[in-house]
Amino acid sequence: MTGRLAGKAQEVAKEDYDKARLLLNDAARSGSYMYPIKGIFYFISHPELWKPLRSRLLPYLTLYSSVLGSMFFFTYLPQLAIMAFVNGPLAVFTAALLILNESSTITGILSKNYLLQDAILDTFDGTLLARNKGDIVAEGREIKTGGDSIQRLGKALKKPFRRFNINELIRYVMYLPLNFVPVVGTVTFLLLRGRSRGESVHDRYFQLKGWPSSRRSQWLKDHKGPYTAFGTVATLLEMVPVASIVFSFTNTVGAALWAADIEAKENQMAGSTAPELREAAKKAE
């Protein structure tokens, strides 16, 4: 009996390892993990894209300070007591880092759904305009003549970004204890967060393209590795205290650059799977 269980465990472990290896290979070939980095450099070199960020910077810092202060006041000691069992004397530092992570996440969820939504939308559309993809942007908003890519943005006709989703917060709380497991637990936590983050980066692009939910789901399923890789790098950047708001915008720029490359078929991923997706869409219809 024990031998059969051990054999089954090895079989399951090998299956999971093979899936993970394929996922990593797919992510590596796509190069999607580089787009958050590309977004940083593109954002720096295009000052017109700073306008939406500047308009929300002070309200964001006020929100972040309130959340961070409340988290340290109410939760530092309880979390310190828990971390002391795991990390011993280092618990003083690890508990503080955990609260910084939690505060950044809570602030990110609240700000993206209420405070930054329009600014992030403008940044995504403005980046597409800067990449000469005005025909796509025109599917979701009015475009003015003259001026830079942000000044040309008119009234938004469609807004894809979702309001507060309690499931996102529940998942975060569920995955948080993984950080108590050294190395492996933290890596697993980041990958799970990255997968969730990656699934939403092209919501605007899918809407502008007019893709039905079935086609979106199929696309994300076929490119799980690339989107998880993008989401993981984006998550790591957005975990940086205070600077997380800047990285939220640079990640948006990176997602728009990726969308522009997919649209231009400069990315092999788009060219290899687009026919399959078109077929799937036809069947769904």
Side-chain angles (χ1 to χ4, degrees), residues 12-154:
V12 171
K14 183 180 183 302
E15 182 180 346
D16 289 345
Y17 171 79
D18 290 339
K19 289 180 179 179
R21 182 171 55 82
L22 291 173
L23 198 69
L24 289 173
N25 288 339
D26 193 19
R29 286 196 305 270
S30 73
S32 62
Y33 55 88
M34 287 300 300
Y35 279 99
I37 309 302
K38 292 179 181 179
I40 295 173
F41 289 102
Y42 197 88
F43 184 80
I44 292 173
S45 62
H46 290 75
E48 69 271 16
L49 296 177
W50 305 352
K51 298 174 185 176
L53 169 61
R54 286 202 301 261
S55 69
R56 298 294 190 274
L57 192 56
L58 183 58
Y60 176 88
L61 292 176
T62 302
L63 173 63
Y64 181 79
S65 299
S66 301
V67 172
L68 183 63
S70 299
M71 289 295 292
F72 266 104
F73 184 80
F74 291 108
T75 71
Y76 179 70
L77 290 179
Q79 294 194 71
L80 176 62
I82 296 174
M83 296 301 290
F85 287 103
V86 182
N87 297 318
L90 294 176
V92 174
F93 303 102
T94 55
L97 290 174
L98 190 59
I99 287 178
L100 287 173
N101 183 9
E102 293 166 349
S103 300
S104 179
T105 300
I106 293 172
T107 304
I109 292 174
L110 293 175
S111 61
K112 286 180 183 177
N113 285 280
Y114 298 102
L115 184 62
L116 304 180
Q117 190 181 57
D118 291 339
I120 287 177
L121 180 69
D122 289 346
T123 302
F124 189 93
D125 290 353
T127 303
L128 286 178
L129 280 180
R131 285 291 305 272
N132 299 316
K133 300 300 177 186
D135 55 331
I136 305 175
V137 179
E139 296 295 326
R141 73 187 307 157
E142 299 172 354
I143 299 179
K144 303 175 184 177
T145 57
D148 59 42
S149 59
I150 296 298
Q151 291 172 335
R152 292 173 59 199
L153 296 176

Side-chain angles (χ1 to χ4, degrees), residues 62-281:
T62 302
L63 173 63
Y64 181 79
S65 299
S66 301
V67 172
L68 183 63
S70 299
M71 289 295 292
F72 266 104
F73 184 80
F74 291 108
T75 71
Y76 179 70
L77 290 179
Q79 294 194 71
L80 176 62
I82 296 174
M83 296 301 290
F85 287 103
V86 182
N87 297 318
L90 294 176
V92 174
F93 303 102
T94 55
L97 290 174
L98 190 59
I99 287 178
L100 287 173
N101 183 9
E102 293 166 349
S103 300
S104 179
T105 300
I106 293 172
T107 304
I109 292 174
L110 293 175
S111 61
K112 286 180 183 177
N113 285 280
Y114 298 102
L115 184 62
L116 304 180
Q117 190 181 57
D118 291 339
I120 287 177
L121 180 69
D122 289 346
T123 302
F124 189 93
D125 290 353
T127 303
L128 286 178
L129 280 180
R131 285 291 305 272
N132 299 316
K133 300 300 177 186
D135 55 331
I136 305 175
V137 179
E139 296 295 326
R141 73 187 307 157
E142 299 172 354
I143 299 179
K144 303 175 184 177
T145 57
D148 59 42
S149 59
I150 296 298
Q151 291 172 335
R152 292 173 59 199
L153 296 176
K155 179 181 178 182
L157 306 177
K158 301 176 182 178
K159 293 186 178 182
F161 296 100
R162 295 165 287 185
R163 287 292 181 183
F164 178 71
N165 187 348
I166 189 63
N167 291 337
E168 184 178 353
L169 185 58
I170 291 175
R171 286 194 185 96
Y172 177 80
V173 174
M174 288 174 57
Y175 298 154
L176 195 60
L178 289 170
N179 288 285
F180 297 145
V181 181
V183 184
V184 175
T186 301
V187 171
T188 303
F189 172 79
L190 289 174
L191 289 175
L192 289 172
R193 292 283 297 156
R195 184 181 66 181
S196 176
R197 177 76 174 86
E199 289 178 350
S200 64
V201 299
H202 276 163
D203 280 355
R204 177 59 168 175
Y205 176 60
F206 297 152
Q207 184 195 45
L208 293 174
K209 293 292 290 180
W211 286 8
S213 58
S214 59
R215 186 171 182 180
R216 299 184 192 192
S217 299
Q218 186 64 44
W219 177 269
L220 291 173
K221 180 179 178 181
D222 290 344
H223 304 103
K224 186 183 299 183
Y227 280 98
T228 298
F230 182 101
T232 300
V233 177
T235 297
L236 284 169
L237 292 172
E238 291 176 14
M239 284 173 61
V240 178
V242 184
S244 59
I245 182 175
V246 177
F247 290 126
S248 293
F249 281 85
T250 60
N251 287 334
T252 299
V253 172
L257 293 176
W258 188 12
D261 284 348
I262 292 174
E263 188 64 19
K265 302 191 184 302
E266 297 169 1
N267 188 316
Q268 290 183 356
M269 183 183 71
S272 63
T273 57
E276 297 174 12
L277 290 172
R278 285 196 292 269
E279 187 62 29

